[in-house]
Structures are given as C-alpha cells and as structure tokens.
Amino acid sequence: MKPAPALAEGFPDLSGMRIAREPHWFRWISAALIILVLAAIARAFANGQIEWSYVSRFLTVKVILEGIVNTMVMAVLAMMLGVVLGIVVAIMRLSPNPVLKTVAAGYTWLFRGTPLILQLLLWFNLALVFPTIGIPGLWSARAVDVMTPFLAALLGLGINQGAYTSEVMRAGMLSVDVGQYEAAQAIGMGRLRALRRIVLPQAMRVVIPPLGNEFIGMVKATSLASVIQYPELLHNAENIYYANSRVIELLIVAGLWYLLVVSILTPLQMLLERRFARGTLRLAR
Amino acid sequence: MTKPLVAIRTVSKNFGEFQALKNVSLDVWPGEVMCLIGASGSGKTTLLRCINQLATIDSGGIWLDGELLGVREHGGKLHRLSEREIGRQRLKTGMVFQRFNLFPHKTALENITEGPTQVQGRKPDEVRAEAIELLRRVGLAAKADSYPAQLSGGQQQRVAIARALAMKPMLMLFDEPTSALDPELVGEVLAVMKELARSGMTMMVVTHELGFAREVADRVVYMDQGAIVEQGRASDVLGAPREERTKAFLSAVI
C-alpha cells in the first residue's frame, strides 16, 4: 500500500473550536420597539372610557357562560351537519352520474352564492312562506312552532357550511393517487367501499387543516345567529348591554371568550392531524 | 380436454385516436406462466388491465374461467354488468402494480387483510392467520406492523403480492412488478414470483426482465403496436426469434 501523500502546510486544525454566537442587535431593537408600541396601546385602553371592573365582573356571569355553551353546541352540531353534507355532496360531485353531479353543483352554487345572514333570516322566517309544515296525512305543525331560533340557526349554518365543506372534501379526494382506487378495485371493492375504506381516510389527512379553519370560522359565524334570537354568546352580551349600556366592556368580554375558545381548538386540531397522519412517517414506531 | 383459464378473442381498445390493442386473441392455460414483453406503448399493460377490467375493451371478448367478462349477452346485444358483478369477477384475478399501490394508511398486515375481511366478509381471526402466513411466504413476517412508507420498494412489492394472493385468485397479473425498483431490490421480488410459479399459479407477467422470462416462463409473447407479433417457448422467442421486429426489440434491450 502506498503511504498517503503529505498534507500541505498552513491549514490549522479547527476541530476543538466552537462557533461564536451572533449578537443579533436588530432583533433586540425591533423587539423593544414592538413592546413599546404594545405598551402604548395598552396604556391608551387603560386610560380610555372603559370600566375594566365591568369586564372582569361580566366575564363569568351566568348569562355569558350559557351563551358560550350555546355557541359551542351550535358550532359543533352545525359543523357536523356541514361535514356530513359536504362528504355526501363531494361524492355526488365526483360521481359519473350526471344527475347527481348537477344536483351537487347546484347546491354548492346556491348556498355559497348568497350571504349567510340572509339564509339565516330566510330559515327563521319560513313561516311567512309556509304557515304550516308537515307530511300530508301523517303529521303537521305550525311553522312558527317548529322553526325555533335553534333549528333555524342549525339549518342555516349547517347547510351553508356543507356547501363549503364539499369543496374541501372534493379537494382531499382528488389528492389521493388514482393507483389507490385501482388497487382497491383490484381486490374487488366497489366505488363506495373504496371511497369509504381507502380514499376518504387518506383524504382526511389533507382535509383536516382546512376543516379546522372552517370550524374556527363556524365558531365565530354562530354570532350571526344573534339576529334570529338564538341565545349564543354575542346575543347574550348584547342583551346585557342593552340593559346597562356598557357596550364596549361586554363586547370585550365576548371577544375574550371567542379568543379563548379558538386558542383551545388549535391544539385539538393537531391531535386530529396526528391521528390521520398514520403511515406517513418513515421512522419505525 | 382442459379449457383455457383466460380466452381473449379479437379484442380491440382505443384511447382516443390511439389504438392500444388491435384485434388481439390469446389463450392462457391453467398453471401456465406467460411473460409479455415489448416496448412501452405496445399494449401489454393495457391487455392486463382489460383482463381485470381496470380498462374496458371496445370490441371483442375476454372469458375468464369460462365466464364472459364485463358484459352479458342478452337478446342479441351486450349489456354491461353492474359494478357489483364486475367486482365479483375481479376476485378471480390478483393484480400487482408497477408502483405497488399499497394503502399508505394501513400496515402491511392490514393491507393484506383488508380485501378478505371487507370484500369477502371473512372472519378477521382466520384472515389474520392467513395473512401472517402469506407475509412469512414472501419473507416479511417481521414487518407485519410496518407502514408502507417504512418499507423498501422491494418489501412493498412483496407485500403487494401477498395482498393479491390473500384473495385466493385463480390468475395473477403482474404489471412490470420490478420496473420501479432499484436494481439491487429486483432479485427479492423475482424470487417470490419464481416460488409462486413453482407452486402452480397461473401468471401473466408484463416484464422487461428477460432473464426471469427465460428461466420461469412457459411461454413468451412479444407485442408491438397493440398486436401480438410472436409467441412461443422462452428459448425460441428469446433465443431464436423469427420475426424481424422481435429481433430488433431483443437486440435493443440486451
């Protein structure tokens, strides 16, 4: 074996030396400036015409807490309705049947094309169109009794959400490789079973971040139901300030609660994402 | 006298203007291992996909185990079968894809048990035991709980073979099963296929592995431009081709 050729001189061994930390002056200065600005804003609000004692007093009052519960119940139920409708409509949209396709497209067009608040008002005032509703010969009732604020809000929010969710679900289903449909067919699965067992579970991974977005939007969209007397958070806060005229204080109370709820939802979404990320990590368990 | 397991008669298939299959007729006999060779675009993959109905033929007919595929003759006309009936016919064939197409959200074992439990409605315990046996047969008993992303290409393809076998097919279709693999992983997949051939399985293999064809195939079929150009024993077609096009193809790939 030949000896290795001698190394050139003038290149010292650096193996024992550490890399020095940069001072990052600009980061320190910009952070300080931002803290100053925030402090100024906080001071302005502290000295403004806000009675902070009202905020803390009404933050945990019973009516407000009931409002949050109603907001969350409505958000969860309407979202569930929206997701179920969304999946069904997305499957209809990707079906080879032109009738189903057209119906699905028409649904999305109608409910995405009109303002949510208008849809809520229409549902709530359905009694003006149909004084009584029911199944002929079996059951009937006065529409004003059936179309409560709760039901009107649920239908309005859920059906509207279904139109948006269907597009999210469709995007997710399109993201799954065609080879997956073929492999499912090759082991004898029909279209619907392949969708349910193979394609949808894989689509969920793609769909959860936008669905999380939609759900956060839904939590806040429930506040629109205040116009149809559904006793959610904003509606109850308004009722209090109609009585005591502490408008800004109660709006801040409502705002804080919305922020808190949304802050809790974000880590929940990450848990869900991990559940549906099964098999995407290359590392062995 | 035995009947062919697959009888293909005057089958044509177009993709728009492109004629993928032109009037192809062919028999595959029970227990036979057939290798289909030819340049890409010659129609060999399309022929496989027509047999398990991932592609529908435009004219002609394919009979599998004596049953006409995809259509029923009634009143002098052909009527398409329902999706459910096509699914039932597909169960007689197992397909192995070039790109494996394992279900990424399921473990190796779950990939294998999915069809028997979900489609055939068999007992999970029984299917599980068979699946473990199949994994052992393809040399992956230790990888039962791994997800496809944690397996090498060769391992994924072996799981895919086990998944197809779990349905107990009469015919196995291989669509370039080693083309997407790194060269050092080809051998392990071919070894599994050789073992399968020795066990008496009827196989149709689209491949570029001429060594495999020479060693294992009972018959080699050379296709070009949607038609069968030459077929016969592997030693004849590969060793002493009669057609000019076959000679040209073989000299190009060797």
Side-chain angles (χ1 to χ4, degrees):
Chain A
M1 206 173 113
K2 272 203 307 188
L7 296 172
E9 298 284 329
F11 302 97
D13 179 13
L14 301 180
S15 58
M17 290 173 76
R18 285 270 199 70
I19 293 172
R21 291 186 76 169
E22 301 284 329
H24 293 304
W25 293 116
F26 183 74
R27 293 184 194 176
W28 286 105
I29 293 166
S30 54
L33 280 176
I34 287 165
I35 289 170
L36 270 178
V37 170
L38 289 177
I41 293 171
R43 186 166 166 276
F45 271 91
N47 295 337
Q49 303 278 339
I50 300 173
E51 285 292 336
W52 288 96
S53 63
Y54 277 93
V55 173
S56 59
R57 194 192 312 163
F58 281 100
L59 199 58
T60 53
V61 89
K62 187 158 168 275
V63 183
I64 291 292
L65 296 180
E66 281 171 2
I68 297 156
V69 170
N70 286 338
T71 289
M72 288 317 293
V73 166
M74 181 54 65
V76 168
L77 290 179
M79 194 66 195
M80 279 162 57
L81 178 61
V83 169
V84 170
L85 280 175
I87 290 175
V88 171
V89 172
I91 291 173
M92 285 166 68
R93 212 130 184 214
L94 295 174
S95 139
N97 180 335
V99 178
L100 293 182
K101 240 188 215 171
T102 312
V103 169
Y107 165 80
T108 313
W109 168 78
L110 183 63
F111 287 95
R112 275 200 316 194
T114 49
L116 177 53
I117 194 160
L118 181 144
Q119 292 174 32
L120 286 167
L121 288 167
L122 278 178
W123 283 111
F124 189 55
N125 293 307
L126 202 66
L128 299 177
V129 192
F130 311 108
T132 57
I133 49 177
I135 307 158
L138 281 176
W139 168 83
S140 76
R142 292 197 312 150
V144 270
D145 298 333
V146 176
M147 201 46 76
T148 57
F150 174 83
L151 188 61
L154 179 60
L155 291 175
L157 291 167
I159 292 175
N160 181 269
Q161 186 61 48
Y164 285 92
T165 309
S166 73
E167 285 296 281
V168 172
M169 299 306 299
R170 194 166 67 92
M173 283 152 72
L174 289 176
S175 76
V176 177
D177 188 78
V178 224
Q180 292 290 313
Y181 282 101
E182 293 189 342
Q185 284 183 327
I187 59 170
M189 288 190 175
R191 216 179 76 85
L192 282 180
R193 198 200 300 267
L195 277 175
R196 187 166 57 81
R197 296 282 310 175
I198 305 302
V199 175
L200 276 178
Q202 294 180 56
M204 287 313 283
R205 196 172 65 81
V206 182
V207 153
I208 282 176
L211 273 193
N213 232 0
E214 296 283 314
F215 185 58
I216 285 169
M218 172 64 84
V219 170
K220 292 174 296 177
T222 54
S223 62
L224 289 176
S226 61
V227 299
I228 57 168
Q229 316 305 320
Y230 179 68
E232 48 72 53
L233 180 55
L234 185 65
H235 183 259
N236 288 3
E238 284 174 340
N239 276 349
I240 297 173
Y241 73 61
Y242 290 148
N244 70 3
S245 302
R246 290 292 168 188
V247 178
I248 296 299
E249 287 80 354
L250 278 144
L251 289 179
I252 289 174
V253 165
L256 287 174
W257 276 111
Y258 281 118
L259 267 179
L260 181 74
V261 167
V262 171
S263 312
I264 294 170
L265 289 175
T266 311
L268 283 181
Q269 180 187 330
M270 283 171 75
L271 282 179
L272 258 187
E273 277 181 35
R274 207 170 301 162
R275 169 84 178 87
F276 282 103
R278 261 179 316 166
T280 52
L281 299 173
R282 285 185 183 271
L283 295 171
R285 288 185 299 179
Chain B
M1 204 185 127
T2 54
K3 284 187 176 169
L5 183 60
V6 185
I8 299 166
R9 292 294 178 271
T10 60
V11 163
S12 294
K13 167 76 182 171
N14 302 317
F15 294 108
E17 292 290 290
F18 179 70
Q19 257 195 304
L21 293 174
K22 296 173 194 163
N23 223 10
V24 172
S25 295
L26 186 69
D27 283 330
V28 185
W29 299 89
E32 186 176 30
V33 176
M34 176 185 283
C35 282
L36 299 156
I37 60 171
S40 60
S42 62
K44 51 201 194 318
T45 291
T46 305
L47 189 60
L48 279 203
R49 292 171 61 86
C50 288
I51 293 173
N52 84 338
Q53 305 188 57
L54 289 176
T56 47
I57 58 178
D58 295 327
S59 68
I62 302 176
W63 286 259
L64 175 64
D65 190 28
E67 187 183 9
L68 183 58
L69 294 181
V71 288
R72 179 188 296 116
E73 203 190 326
H74 183 73
K77 279 187 177 171
L78 295 175
H79 301 269
R80 277 202 200 292
L81 295 181
S82 70
E83 206 189 345
R84 177 184 290 267
E85 286 168 304
I86 288 173
R88 183 182 56 74
Q89 291 184 334
R90 278 203 186 101
L91 294 183
K92 292 182 181 177
T93 59
M95 179 96 174
V96 175
F97 298 88
Q98 182 177 359
R99 299 226 45 101
F100 330 137
N101 291 349
L102 289 181
F103 306 132
H105 61 308
K106 295 182 180 293
T107 63
L109 192 69
E110 288 167 351
N111 264 279
I112 300 171
T113 56
E114 178 71 14
T117 54
Q118 290 295 318
V119 179
Q120 295 176 326
R122 295 174 52 204
K123 289 198 191 80
D125 292 347
E126 181 189 307
V127 170
R128 202 185 138 81
E130 278 181 20
I132 290 170
E133 173 56 27
L134 279 170
L135 276 175
R136 198 195 53 72
R137 190 170 163 194
V138 299
L140 291 171
K143 297 289 185 185
D145 295 324
S146 298
Y147 284 97
Q150 298 162 349
L151 300 173
S152 74
Q155 291 170 332
Q156 288 188 51
Q157 193 61 298
R158 286 186 280 156
V159 173
I161 293 172
R163 177 175 71 181
L165 289 174
M167 304 301 284
K168 303 189 174 153
M170 320 172 79
L171 169 71
M172 283 286 283
L173 305 170
F174 293 85
D175 182 13
E176 302 195 24
T178 58
S179 296
L181 295 176
D182 291 340
E184 77 273 18
L185 302 176
V186 169
E188 63 190 60
V189 172
L190 292 182
V192 167
M193 292 169 62
K194 281 177 200 165
E195 189 269 325
L196 194 59
R198 275 196 297 273
S199 75
M201 175 63 77
T202 311
M203 294 163 61
M204 292 180 78
V205 185
V206 170
T207 188
H208 296 298
E209 297 289 333
L210 299 185
F212 172 83
R214 197 172 282 121
E215 187 180 344
V216 182
D218 299 308
R219 183 155 41 134
V220 171
V221 174
Y222 171 68
M223 291 183 70
D224 188 36
Q225 294 177 11
I228 294 171
V229 175
E230 183 167 356
Q231 55 174 307
R233 288 206 318 237
S235 52
D236 293 341
V237 176
L238 300 176
R242 278 173 286 126
E243 299 289 330
E244 283 308 315
R245 280 191 280 173
T246 319
K247 285 178 195 166
F249 172 74
L250 290 174
S251 63
V253 293
I254 294 171

